[in-house]
Amino acid sequence: MSGIMSFTGERPDGPPVKCGAPLSDITAGILAAMGILAAYAHRLKTGEGQWVETSLFEAALVQTYWQAAIAMATGVAPKAMGSAHPLNAPYQAFRNIRQVDRGRAAPIKNIGGERSKYSVQPNWRKIRGLRPAPTEWAI
């Protein structure tokens, strides 16, 4: 219902994928703890008690802030991006030299391609320039 599964997965054209961690449960607990602390601070100040509620659905919505903001600003629904981030680069999983040498390379995500059109590409280019990369990693 929150939409998290619509942008979780490896490919934009792939099926919805369940998140690995129980985001709604963890976030609802954190929000409840914040509410309890706020209610306690209010009680210390005024002597009045407070009613504290938490919601798994609303907690899940909290976790969609980047995708929701982009969708509302652009009118484009979010798509799965693997481990990439819609605004930051480099953020996703990519091969490191040791993995390549040992033949256990993690997949390279679309660094510098369509996914990162809103990202901070100059930062990625600076980082990439610090160490020569294999040509297959070139943008």
PDB file of all heavy atoms in Angstrom, residues 29-43:
ATOM      1  N   GLY A  29       8.432   1.594  15.173  1.00  0.00           N
ATOM      2  CA  GLY A  29       9.007   1.551  16.522  1.00  0.00           C
ATOM      3  C   GLY A  29       9.791   2.814  16.843  1.00  0.00           C
ATOM      4  O   GLY A  29       9.680   3.371  17.940  1.00  0.00           O
ATOM      5  N   ILE A  30      10.575   3.287  15.887  1.00  0.00           N
ATOM      6  CA  ILE A  30      11.352   4.513  16.096  1.00  0.00           C
ATOM      7  C   ILE A  30      10.415   5.711  16.267  1.00  0.00           C
ATOM      8  O   ILE A  30      10.614   6.551  17.153  1.00  0.00           O
ATOM      9  CB  ILE A  30      12.330   4.737  14.922  1.00  0.00           C
ATOM     10  CG1 ILE A  30      13.416   3.656  14.939  1.00  0.00           C
ATOM     11  CG2 ILE A  30      12.942   6.128  14.968  1.00  0.00           C
ATOM     12  CD1 ILE A  30      14.268   3.612  13.681  1.00  0.00           C
ATOM     13  N   LEU A  31       9.383   5.791  15.420  1.00  0.00           N
ATOM     14  CA  LEU A  31       8.428   6.892  15.537  1.00  0.00           C
ATOM     15  C   LEU A  31       7.665   6.832  16.854  1.00  0.00           C
ATOM     16  O   LEU A  31       7.386   7.871  17.473  1.00  0.00           O
ATOM     17  CB  LEU A  31       7.463   6.886  14.347  1.00  0.00           C
ATOM     18  CG  LEU A  31       8.088   7.196  12.986  1.00  0.00           C
ATOM     19  CD1 LEU A  31       7.069   7.001  11.879  1.00  0.00           C
ATOM     20  CD2 LEU A  31       8.678   8.591  12.958  1.00  0.00           C
ATOM     21  N   ALA A  32       7.346   5.628  17.315  1.00  0.00           N
ATOM     22  CA  ALA A  32       6.671   5.480  18.607  1.00  0.00           C
ATOM     23  C   ALA A  32       7.581   5.961  19.738  1.00  0.00           C
ATOM     24  O   ALA A  32       7.133   6.675  20.641  1.00  0.00           O
ATOM     25  CB  ALA A  32       6.261   4.025  18.835  1.00  0.00           C
ATOM     26  N   ALA A  33       8.862   5.582  19.671  1.00  0.00           N
ATOM     27  CA  ALA A  33       9.808   6.021  20.701  1.00  0.00           C
ATOM     28  C   ALA A  33       9.925   7.546  20.710  1.00  0.00           C
ATOM     29  O   ALA A  33       9.956   8.172  21.778  1.00  0.00           O
ATOM     30  CB  ALA A  33      11.173   5.377  20.471  1.00  0.00           C
ATOM     31  N   MET A  34       9.958   8.158  19.527  1.00  0.00           N
ATOM     32  CA  MET A  34      10.012   9.623  19.450  1.00  0.00           C
ATOM     33  C   MET A  34       8.746  10.242  20.038  1.00  0.00           C
ATOM     34  O   MET A  34       8.819  11.255  20.757  1.00  0.00           O
ATOM     35  CB  MET A  34      10.198  10.064  17.993  1.00  0.00           C
ATOM     36  CG  MET A  34      11.574   9.746  17.457  1.00  0.00           C
ATOM     37  SD  MET A  34      11.755  10.022  15.673  1.00  0.00           S
ATOM     38  CE  MET A  34      11.267  11.710  15.503  1.00  0.00           C
ATOM     39  N   GLY A  35       7.595   9.642  19.744  1.00  0.00           N
ATOM     40  CA  GLY A  35       6.337  10.140  20.297  1.00  0.00           C
ATOM     41  C   GLY A  35       6.292  10.026  21.810  1.00  0.00           C
ATOM     42  O   GLY A  35       5.816  10.935  22.502  1.00  0.00           O
ATOM     43  N   ILE A  36       6.783   8.918  22.339  1.00  0.00           N
ATOM     44  CA  ILE A  36       6.817   8.716  23.794  1.00  0.00           C
ATOM     45  C   ILE A  36       7.722   9.754  24.451  1.00  0.00           C
ATOM     46  O   ILE A  36       7.369  10.346  25.486  1.00  0.00           O
ATOM     47  CB  ILE A  36       7.278   7.279  24.129  1.00  0.00           C
ATOM     48  CG1 ILE A  36       6.191   6.279  23.700  1.00  0.00           C
ATOM     49  CG2 ILE A  36       7.636   7.133  25.604  1.00  0.00           C
ATOM     50  CD1 ILE A  36       6.661   4.838  23.659  1.00  0.00           C
ATOM     51  N   LEU A  37       8.878  10.001  23.850  1.00  0.00           N
ATOM     52  CA  LEU A  37       9.790  11.006  24.414  1.00  0.00           C
ATOM     53  C   LEU A  37       9.184  12.406  24.357  1.00  0.00           C
ATOM     54  O   LEU A  37       9.311  13.189  25.309  1.00  0.00           O
ATOM     55  CB  LEU A  37      11.131  10.976  23.672  1.00  0.00           C
ATOM     56  CG  LEU A  37      11.981   9.726  23.907  1.00  0.00           C
ATOM     57  CD1 LEU A  37      13.194   9.725  22.993  1.00  0.00           C
ATOM     58  CD2 LEU A  37      12.396   9.625  25.369  1.00  0.00           C
ATOM     59  N   ALA A  38       8.511  12.722  23.250  1.00  0.00           N
ATOM     60  CA  ALA A  38       7.850  14.025  23.146  1.00  0.00           C
ATOM     61  C   ALA A  38       6.734  14.149  24.180  1.00  0.00           C
ATOM     62  O   ALA A  38       6.562  15.205  24.805  1.00  0.00           O
ATOM     63  CB  ALA A  38       7.302  14.221  21.737  1.00  0.00           C
ATOM     64  N   ALA A  39       5.972  13.078  24.387  1.00  0.00           N
ATOM     65  CA  ALA A  39       4.894  13.094  25.379  1.00  0.00           C
ATOM     66  C   ALA A  39       5.459  13.247  26.793  1.00  0.00           C
ATOM     67  O   ALA A  39       4.899  13.978  27.621  1.00  0.00           O
ATOM     68  CB  ALA A  39       4.065  11.812  25.270  1.00  0.00           C
ATOM     69  N   TYR A  40       6.571  12.595  27.041  1.00  0.00           N
ATOM     70  CA  TYR A  40       7.213  12.695  28.352  1.00  0.00           C
ATOM     71  C   TYR A  40       7.725  14.125  28.588  1.00  0.00           C
ATOM     72  O   TYR A  40       7.536  14.687  29.670  1.00  0.00           O
ATOM     73  CB  TYR A  40       8.355  11.692  28.458  1.00  0.00           C
ATOM     74  CG  TYR A  40       9.064  11.714  29.785  1.00  0.00           C
ATOM     75  CD1 TYR A  40       8.389  11.395  30.964  1.00  0.00           C
ATOM     76  CD2 TYR A  40      10.405  12.062  29.870  1.00  0.00           C
ATOM     77  CE1 TYR A  40       9.039  11.422  32.192  1.00  0.00           C
ATOM     78  CE2 TYR A  40      11.064  12.091  31.086  1.00  0.00           C
ATOM     79  CZ  TYR A  40      10.376  11.774  32.246  1.00  0.00           C
ATOM     80  OH  TYR A  40      11.015  11.802  33.450  1.00  0.00           O
ATOM     81  N   ALA A  41       8.341  14.715  27.580  1.00  0.00           N
ATOM     82  CA  ALA A  41       8.814  16.101  27.705  1.00  0.00           C
ATOM     83  C   ALA A  41       7.634  17.042  27.959  1.00  0.00           C
ATOM     84  O   ALA A  41       7.721  17.956  28.788  1.00  0.00           O
ATOM     85  CB  ALA A  41       9.580  16.517  26.444  1.00  0.00           C
ATOM     86  N   HIS A  42       6.533  16.810  27.265  1.00  0.00           N
ATOM     87  CA  HIS A  42       5.325  17.622  27.465  1.00  0.00           C
ATOM     88  C   HIS A  42       4.809  17.465  28.898  1.00  0.00           C
ATOM     89  O   HIS A  42       4.406  18.440  29.538  1.00  0.00           O
ATOM     90  CB  HIS A  42       4.256  17.219  26.449  1.00  0.00           C
ATOM     91  CG  HIS A  42       2.992  17.996  26.573  1.00  0.00           C
ATOM     92  ND1 HIS A  42       2.856  19.278  26.109  1.00  0.00           N
ATOM     93  CD2 HIS A  42       1.799  17.669  27.138  1.00  0.00           C
ATOM     94  CE1 HIS A  42       1.643  19.724  26.365  1.00  0.00           C
ATOM     95  NE2 HIS A  42       0.971  18.756  26.992  1.00  0.00           N
ATOM     96  N   ARG A  43       4.819  16.236  29.401  1.00  0.00           N
ATOM     97  CA  ARG A  43       4.341  15.973  30.772  1.00  0.00           C
ATOM     98  C   ARG A  43       5.227  16.673  31.798  1.00  0.00           C
ATOM     99  O   ARG A  43       4.735  17.240  32.770  1.00  0.00           O
ATOM    100  CB  ARG A  43       4.310  14.481  31.048  1.00  0.00           C
ATOM    101  CG  ARG A  43       3.793  14.152  32.441  1.00  0.00           C
ATOM    102  CD  ARG A  43       3.716  12.648  32.638  1.00  0.00           C
ATOM    103  NE  ARG A  43       3.286  12.339  33.968  1.00  0.00           N
ATOM    104  CZ  ARG A  43       4.095  12.119  35.001  1.00  0.00           C
ATOM    105  NH1 ARG A  43       5.406  12.169  34.827  1.00  0.00           N
ATOM    106  NH2 ARG A  43       3.614  11.836  36.188  1.00  0.00           N
TER     107      ARG A  43
END
